[in-house]
Amino acid sequence: MPARPGGPTRRSVLRGFGALAGAAALAPALPLPARAVPASTTAELVERWAVLQTGGPGLDLGDAHVAAAVRRVDRAATTVLATLDRSAGRAALWPDLADWTRSNTVTTTFKRLRSIAVAWATPGTSVAGDAAVAGAVADGVSWMHDHVYGPGIPRFDNDWDWEIGSASALADTLVVLREHLGGALARSTAAIDHYTPDPNLWRADRQIATGANRVWIATVVAVRACLDGDEAALLRVRDALSDVDGGGANSVLAFVDGGTAEGEGTGEGFFRDGSFLQHWKHPYNGGYGKELLGTLSSLLHLLGDSPWQVTDPALANVYAWVTDAFDPLMVRGDMVASVCGREIARPSKQGHAPTQTVIEGTLRLIPSAPAAQAATLTSLVAQWVAEDTYRDFLAVTTPASVVAATALLAAGPTPRGALVAHRQFPAMDKAVHHRPRFAVSVSAYSSRVYNYESIQNENLHGWHLSDGMVLLYTDDLGHYSEDYWPTVDPYRLPGTTVDTARLENSADFRATNDATWVGGAALPGATLAAYGQDLRARGSDLRALKSWFLLDDAVVCVGSGIAAPAAGGVETVVENRKVREGAAFVVDGVDQGVADGWSADLDDVRWCHLAGTAGYVFPGGARLRALREDRTHTWREINVKYGTDTPVTRPYVTAWIDHGAAPAAASYAYVMLPAADAEGTRRFAGACGTAAGLRILAQDDDVHAVQLGGTLAANFWAAASVPLGAAEPGEGGALRADGPASVVVHASRATTRWTRPTTVAVSDPTQTRAEVVVDLFRPGLRFVDAAPGVTVTRRGAGWRIAARTTDLRGATVTASFV
C-alpha cells in the first residue's frame, strides 16, 4: 500500500515505542528503552501522537500479537462503520445515539468516529487508506460541528463530555486524518478550542481543574495546539501541570500532602502513602488515578525532548506513583475494587480492564525515565504481564503498546516476583495484605474519606462498600469479574457489619461520618499488621468497633460494641463468595452438600471451609447462618448510564453472624485462613487458646488484642492495658497505651540463646493526636534504636515509647529491642 501524504514516517516510529527494541539490543541484561529523538516543531509532535494511535507504519504484521491488535482495531471500526448513517437528512450519525439531551451521546459519537479514523490510518486493516472511509469520517465530523459541537452551540448535561471526552476523541481523529481534512481541520480545532480553551480552567464556571481532570484538559489543549502550531498554548500546558502561576497548589505532579517545596495541594491527587483521591474525598487509584497515569504518560511522551517538555523536579514523583500507588493495589492483573469508585458498576471495567491502563501508562514512562527507575518499571511490567493468566495484556492492548511490550519482554528482563507485603493507605482508609497465595483488601471510611461514589446513575447499590468490606483475591482470578458486582448481595458484602434495612437506589451520593479512628500499624518489611475501624454507619444508628489483625496467612477479625437501637436486624458477613459449581462447604468436618436453595442455621460452629476460597475459624464458637443461592440480576440495576438489561446468574455461598434486632453490645470473632485446606483449618481451630495457637487477649470497647506466636497486635480505642501472653518460657508482661492507638509487638525467633529481637510498631489511626505513648512491660528487653520522633525511656522494669504523631498522618513508626 503506498504511503499516505503526511502520514507517520519511519522517523516518527523511532521517536515512539519502536525505539525500545534498539535499546534492548544494546543492553540485553538491563533492557532500558532509548529516549525519543528530540523534536523541535509542533508538526513532529503531531507525528508522535499519530504513532501512539496507530503503532506507526513500521508495524510488523508478521508478529502474531501485532496482527491480532490490528484485527481488534479493524473489528472495532468496521462494526460501527456498518451502521453509520450517511444520509443527508439524518438526525444522528448512529440510530442508537440520537438522544441529544445526554452529553454522553456526543462523546460516544466522537469515539466511534475516532475508531474508524484510527483504523483508516493503521496499516493492515481492511479500511486502511480507503478514501471513502476517510470521507465518511470527515463528513461525520462536519455534521457534528453543524448540529451539536461547535462555537455558538450551547453545551448540556455533563461538562466532562464537552471539555474532555468529546474533545479528546475529536483531537485524536484530527491527528490521524489531518491530511485528508484540508481546510476543514481549522474548523475542528476551533471547535475544540471553544469548549476547552485553557489547561488551567475547568467547567463553564471556570473553576480550577485538579487531578485527572487537569491532565485530561491539558492533553486536549496540547494536541489541539500541536495541530494549530500554537506554541504559546504548549507553554501553558507545560506550566499547567506544575501550576506555576498558582504557586503549586494545583500541581498534578506534587504530592497532595506536601511532597514538594510548594507545600500541600487541594486534597485531590496522589499522597505520599500511595493514596489517590478524586472528587474531593473518594479513593480512586483504580479509576481517575489510573486515567491520570495513562493520560499524563501520553502527554509526557508527546512533549518529551522538545522545547515544551516538562522540567518540574516533581516529575520524579510519577515513578513513585507506579511503585506505591498502583503496584500494591494490583493482584495478578486485578485492581482492588475498593479504589475503583463507581467504575466497579460498569460492565466494561471488569475483567482486569483497569490494570491495562496502568501497564500501558508505565510502558510510556520507561523510555524517558532515569536508569534506576526505568529498571524498576521494566521489572514491574514484566511481572504484571506474566502473572495475569486471566487476561493476556498482549491480547487486549493497542498496537503501539504491543510493540512496546513485546520488545521489552523479548529482552528478557527479570520480573519483580510475586508481591509479599502489607500496605496501608491512611489518606484513603484502605489496606491491602499480599501473601504468596492470596491477597486481602480492607475498605473503611471516616471523617476524612467518603464511603462510596454514586453519581450520574452509576453504582446505585454501593451503600456498604466501606463498612468494613474484606475482599479476598485467590487463584480464581476472575472472581470479581464475570458479573460479580451486579449479582452479589449488596447487603452482605464480605467483612461488613450492616443494618439490614432495605435502601433506595443511590444517585449523587457521598458521605463521610464523624469517626476519626480508622487505620492501623504495620511491621516494616513484614506481613504483620493491625487495622481497625470505628464504624458509624450512614443512614443508620449502627455503631461498631471492628479490627482486622493480618498476621501472615491468618486474618483475625474481631468486633465489639455493636449497637443499633433502631435497627430491625444487624449482621456481620463472614463470607459471600461467587463459587464454582460443586464447591464443597464443610462445617466442623461435615460436608453440607450445598446446592441452590440450601440454607442452614449452624450452632456452635468451631470451623468451616469453603473449597477454592478459605477456611474460617471461630475461636469461641459461633452461631452461623449460611445459604447457597443462584442470584439473577442485570447490570442496569446498578448502572442506568452504562448497564444492560440482559439478566446474568451467578451462584453464591454466603455465611454470616446474625446479631438480631436492636443489638446493644454484640460482638464477633473469627479467623480467615485463605491458604488453608480443610485439615489445616481444623488444626488451627484446635490450637486456638493454647500457647501455640491464636489467643484473643482483649475484645471490648477499650481495646481489641490478639496474639499468635511471637506477634501481639492491638487496637486501642481508649487508654487501656493488655496482658502479654508468653510465646516462650520467661516471657509475658503487659502492653499499655495512653489513648487511641494501634500497636504491633513482634518478637522474632531467637538469634542466640539470649537474644530475641523485638520490634514495636505504633501509629495514631485517628490522625488527631500530637503524641502516642505506649508502655511495654516485658522482662529482659534492651533498647536498640527508634525512628525519628520516637523517644524510648525506662519505666520501671519496662520501657515507655513516646511517638510524636502530629505530622505522621496515620503512618507507623517503630522502636527496636533485643
Side-chain angles (χ1 to χ4, degrees):
M1 183 183 71
R4 293 186 298 279
T9 65
R10 177 70 178 172
R11 184 182 176 197
S12 70
V13 176
L14 292 176
R15 288 186 186 134
F17 289 132
L20 279 164
L26 292 173
L30 187 62
L32 304 182
R35 292 176 62 86
V37 175
S40 59
T41 67
T42 56
E44 290 174 301
L45 300 189
V46 172
E47 288 186 8
R48 285 187 184 177
W49 200 256
V51 170
L52 283 183
Q53 310 309 310
T54 67
L59 287 176
D60 180 7
L61 298 177
D63 182 283
H65 285 114
V66 171
V70 170
R71 288 195 297 271
R72 290 194 296 275
V73 171
D74 196 20
R75 283 195 302 271
T78 54
T79 298
V80 295
L81 185 60
T83 55
L84 173 63
D85 187 348
R86 310 184 197 189
S87 65
R90 58 195 166 180
L93 299 186
W94 279 274
D96 62 326
L97 294 176
D99 183 355
W100 298 113
T101 65
R102 297 175 57 193
S103 57
N104 182 55
T105 302
V106 185
T107 294
T108 305
T109 298
F110 275 123
K111 284 183 175 180
R112 289 185 183 181
L113 291 171
R114 175 176 63 187
S115 71
I116 300 170
V118 169
W120 174 83
T122 300
T125 68
S126 63
V127 297
D130 188 321
V133 171
V137 175
D139 179 62
V141 170
S142 179
W143 188 92
M144 291 293 287
H145 292 329
D146 288 339
H147 297 90
V148 181
Y149 185 93
I153 301 177
R155 64 178 79 193
F156 52 84
D157 196 15
N158 188 349
D159 284 303
W160 185 93
D161 287 299
W162 299 93
E163 300 186 0
I164 297 172
S166 297
S168 61
L170 174 57
D172 292 346
T173 300
L174 301 180
V175 166
V176 297
L177 208 63
R178 63 193 183 282
E179 295 299 329
H180 186 89
L181 293 173
L185 177 63
R187 183 189 187 196
S188 292
T189 57
I192 293 174
D193 191 48
H194 171 72
Y195 294 108
T196 318
D198 190 334
N200 293 289
L201 299 176
W202 164 244
R203 301 183 184 272
D205 56 8
R206 313 312 338 143
Q207 295 176 3
I208 297 294
T210 58
N213 289 321
R214 192 176 187 85
V215 175
W216 270 323
I217 289 174
T219 302
V220 168
V221 174
V223 177
R224 192 278 307 161
C226 289
L227 288 164
D228 285 342
D230 185 351
E231 297 183 5
L234 287 177
L235 291 176
R236 291 197 299 273
V237 167
R238 179 200 64 191
D239 294 345
L241 296 179
S242 303
D243 188 35
V244 171
D245 294 334
N250 291 295
S251 171
V252 297
L253 302 175
F255 288 116
V256 173
D257 49 346
T260 67
E262 288 83 0
E264 297 184 14
T266 62
E268 291 189 337
F270 287 96
F271 290 71
R272 284 175 290 181
D273 68 8
S275 300
F276 177 87
L277 299 181
Q278 186 81 30
H279 287 177
W280 298 281
K281 297 180 180 181
H282 285 297
Y284 240 135
N285 301 58
Y288 280 90
K290 69 150 181 354
E291 296 298 332
L292 193 160
L293 176 69
T295 307
L296 180 62
S297 64
S298 296
L299 182 56
L300 295 174
H301 175 82
L302 175 67
L303 301 180
D305 292 300
S306 80
W308 309 280
Q309 70 180 353
V310 178
T311 58
D312 189 331
L315 182 61
N317 293 338
V318 176
Y319 309 119
W321 299 354
V322 177
T323 56
D324 297 337
F326 292 107
D327 184 41
L329 294 164
M330 295 164 61
V331 185
R332 287 187 281 178
D334 212 347
M335 180 69 72
V336 170
S338 59
V339 298
C340 292
R342 69 188 191 274
E343 290 193 10
I344 63 169
R346 297 177 183 175
S348 63
K349 297 302 182 181
Q350 61 176 337
H352 298 197
T355 60
Q356 177 182 340
T357 303
V358 176
I359 298 173
E360 290 169 346
T362 304
L363 281 168
R364 287 189 287 269
L365 291 176
I366 291 174
S368 59
Q373 285 85 350
T376 297
L377 300 186
T378 298
S379 177
L380 286 177
V381 168
Q383 179 67 29
W384 294 338
V385 173
E387 69 184 0
D388 187 357
T389 56
Y390 180 80
R391 188 174 192 259
D392 182 359
F393 174 77
L394 295 177
V396 294
T397 192
T398 65
S401 291
V402 166
V403 171
T406 53
L408 182 150
L409 296 173
T414 301
R416 185 271 318 281
L419 183 61
V420 180
H422 178 92
R423 286 294 304 273
Q424 295 182 4
F425 301 87
M428 63 180 179
D429 295 344
K430 302 291 180 278
V432 183
H433 189 74
H434 291 267
R435 294 291 293 161
R437 295 178 56 188
F438 68 89
V440 168
S441 74
V442 182
S443 176
Y445 79 109
S446 66
S447 61
R448 302 178 295 271
V449 176
Y450 291 141
N451 51 355
Y452 71 101
E453 184 183 49
S454 176
I455 60 175
Q456 298 180 25
N457 283 314
E458 295 191 81
N459 199 23
L460 300 179
H461 295 171
W463 312 292
H464 299 300
L465 288 169
S466 295
D467 291 347
M469 181 177 70
V470 176
L471 298 185
L472 170 61
Y473 295 82
T474 66
D475 290 336
D476 182 2
L477 302 189
H479 181 263
Y480 297 109
S481 303
E482 301 173 7
D483 307 309
Y484 177 84
W485 291 107
T487 56
V488 69
D489 185 342
Y491 296 96
R492 288 179 175 157
L493 297 177
T496 59
T497 298
V498 300
D499 184 329
T500 59
R502 302 297 96 171
L503 301 170
E504 295 183 358
N505 284 352
S506 293
D508 197 16
F509 181 92
R510 63 177 182 268
T512 58
N513 59 30
D514 57 358
T516 59
W517 208 123
V518 172
L523 198 72
T527 50
L528 300 168
Y531 200 74
Q533 176 184 22
D534 178 0
L535 174 63
R536 305 183 185 187
R538 169 73 174 177
S540 169
D541 61 0
L542 171 63
R543 301 291 183 267
L545 299 175
K546 295 173 68 68
S547 289
W548 299 269
F549 300 108
L550 304 109
L551 309 177
D552 293 336
D553 288 344
V555 180
V556 186
C557 308
V558 176
S560 69
I562 301 172
V570 173
E571 298 173 352
T572 294
V573 184
V574 175
E575 188 57 271
N576 192 356
R577 196 74 179 175
K578 180 160 62 74
V579 295
R580 302 300 178 184
E581 291 294 342
F585 184 53
V586 176
V587 178
D588 288 332
V590 179
D591 189 339
Q592 301 297 302
V594 299
D596 184 30
W598 172 87
S599 65
D601 290 346
L602 303 161
D603 291 326
D604 196 26
V605 175
R606 297 293 168 163
W607 66 272
C608 60
H609 185 270
L610 179 60
T613 302
Y616 305 85
V617 171
F618 304 88
R623 188 169 191 269
L624 195 66
R625 302 186 67 183
L627 63 82
R628 159 68 171 81
E629 61 179 338
D630 285 345
R631 295 182 54 82
T632 301
H633 293 276
T634 70
W635 279 94
R636 189 170 178 81
E637 292 176 51
I638 63 172
N639 195 319
V640 174
K641 187 174 184 179
Y642 296 116
T644 65
D645 290 320
T646 304
V648 289
T649 301
R650 295 292 181 266
Y652 286 83
V653 169
T654 310
W656 69 97
I657 297 168
D658 190 346
H659 302 297
S667 63
Y668 64 83
Y670 62 92
V671 186
M672 178 188 294
L673 301 170
D677 58 14
E679 175 57 22
T681 304
R682 184 193 67 77
R683 289 197 304 268
F684 189 99
C688 283
T690 70
L694 173 73
R695 286 169 287 178
I696 296 179
L697 304 179
Q699 184 183 2
D700 55 40
D701 292 351
D702 291 332
V703 59
H704 294 171
V706 303
Q707 185 165 359
L708 182 60
T711 303
L712 178 141
N715 286 329
F716 292 89
W717 311 104
S721 294
V722 176
L724 299 182
E728 289 190 358
E731 293 187 346
L735 178 71
R736 177 177 174 79
D738 70 335
S742 185
V743 183
V744 177
V745 180
H746 176 66
S748 304
R749 293 182 180 274
T751 55
T752 70
R753 181 178 178 183
W754 307 107
T755 304
R756 193 166 190 219
T758 297
T759 302
V760 181
V762 179
S763 79
D764 167 27
T766 72
Q767 301 187 35
T768 63
R769 305 188 65 195
E771 184 180 60
V772 170
V773 178
V774 172
D775 293 323
L776 175 62
F777 300 96
R778 171 167 276 174
L781 289 183
R782 178 173 60 85
F783 172 62
V784 176
D785 60 21
V790 178
T791 302
V792 178
T793 56
R794 269 292 182 186
R795 181 170 172 80
W799 295 96
R800 168 158 288 183
I801 303 163
R804 293 199 305 272
T805 54
T806 301
D807 298 320
L808 290 182
R809 301 176 185 269
T812 298
V813 291
T814 60
S816 299
F817 303 84
V818 293

